[in-house]
Amino acid sequence: MFFPGPKSLVCACLVLACLAPGASTSRSKRDKSVWNYDGGIIFATDGSLPNGVCFRVNGEVNAGEFFNNLKRIDNEHGTVFRRGTETVTHFPGELALSFDIHDQPCAPGLREIETRTYLTREMMSTLRLTFYWKRGVDLRPVKSVSEIRSTVEPIVPYAANLTSELPKRFAWSYQLAVPSKDIPLTDSLVLVFRTADGRIAARVAARL
């Protein structure tokens, strides 16, 4: 999947870290934990390109009201997902995946010694993104992922009066439809970002 512009997906070259589920959790007993998934699965990670550009990816996986009141319960017997008294075992037929990408300093909070390089349209257009369902250590390619919407918006600097003097910065946003029929909730949706030469730059998993 290529990302040449607003009308096609942008693949980002990221150094990503898999996150814990974007959900609240509670522990009622020492051997039991409960995760709540209202609002879907949230993920976020930092990325970097070989030329030294660093950026942030924020995203979520949702599906209408599917995740409302959905809970994951872990105990000594294993893992079960429930919505009220109903046991839920599989994702719905399709998931809505959305994520945003924008550049950021490679060392947030530290003063940069060298001139900073920003993420450009040209950089984004050379990158590729692939999707997998992960079960254990097994990765299965996800086919027929479709783009619903993509946009590129300029980022207005805090010092608006210096806009004409500062490098142009952008934020990329994407909305995708991911087929998920018959996929168990225990599988993870993995996003892998690669450079034009096929090198894995980053990966992140959206998981329950």
Side-chain angles (χ1 to χ4, degrees), residues 1-180:
M1 185 172 292
F2 295 85
F3 295 86
K7 295 300 182 182
S8 62
L9 278 182
V10 177
C11 286
C13 190
L14 309 176
V15 177
L16 303 179
C18 294
L19 302 181
S24 60
T25 183
S26 62
R27 185 175 292 274
S28 57
K29 295 182 179 180
R30 188 175 181 180
D31 59 352
K32 179 180 178 180
S33 61
V34 179
W35 297 88
N36 299 294
Y37 289 97
D38 285 336
I41 309 170
I42 307 299
F43 61 89
T45 191
D46 296 328
S48 65
L49 299 179
N51 62 2
V53 173
C54 295
F55 51 91
R56 161 71 63 160
V57 177
N58 295 292
E60 72 171 44
V61 175
N62 222 318
E65 298 182 355
F66 177 81
F67 292 100
N68 292 353
N69 301 315
L70 182 67
K71 293 179 173 61
R72 168 178 169 165
I73 302 172
D74 297 320
N75 56 35
E76 70 275 14
H77 302 297
T79 297
V80 64
F81 295 89
R82 295 189 187 281
R83 187 186 297 109
T85 59
E86 173 192 8
T87 298
V88 184
T89 59
H90 290 74
F91 287 107
E94 185 176 270
L95 296 174
L97 169 67
S98 61
F99 61 91
D100 302 325
I101 300 175
H102 62 82
D103 61 48
Q104 66 176 9
C106 293
L110 299 178
R111 184 175 181 180
E112 294 182 288
I113 300 176
E114 300 180 356
T115 302
R116 179 178 162 190
T117 303
Y118 296 92
L119 193 61
T120 66
R121 294 172 184 265
E122 290 73 22
M123 294 175 193
M124 292 290 285
S125 68
T126 63
L127 305 174
R128 296 168 174 81
L129 171 62
T130 49
F131 303 89
Y132 300 90
W133 285 112
K134 183 175 184 295
R135 182 179 302 170
V137 297
D138 179 48
L139 291 175
R140 310 183 311 280
V142 181
K143 300 180 180 179
S144 302
V145 175
S146 58
E147 178 185 347
I148 305 301
R149 184 171 178 266
S150 62
T151 60
V152 181
E153 299 290 342
I155 297 176
V156 179
Y158 290 113
N161 59 316
L162 298 178
T163 300
S164 61
E165 302 175 22
L166 296 174
K168 292 183 179 180
R169 298 179 59 209
F170 300 92
W172 286 261
S173 298
Y174 302 93
Q175 297 177 8
L176 314 175
V178 180
S180 52

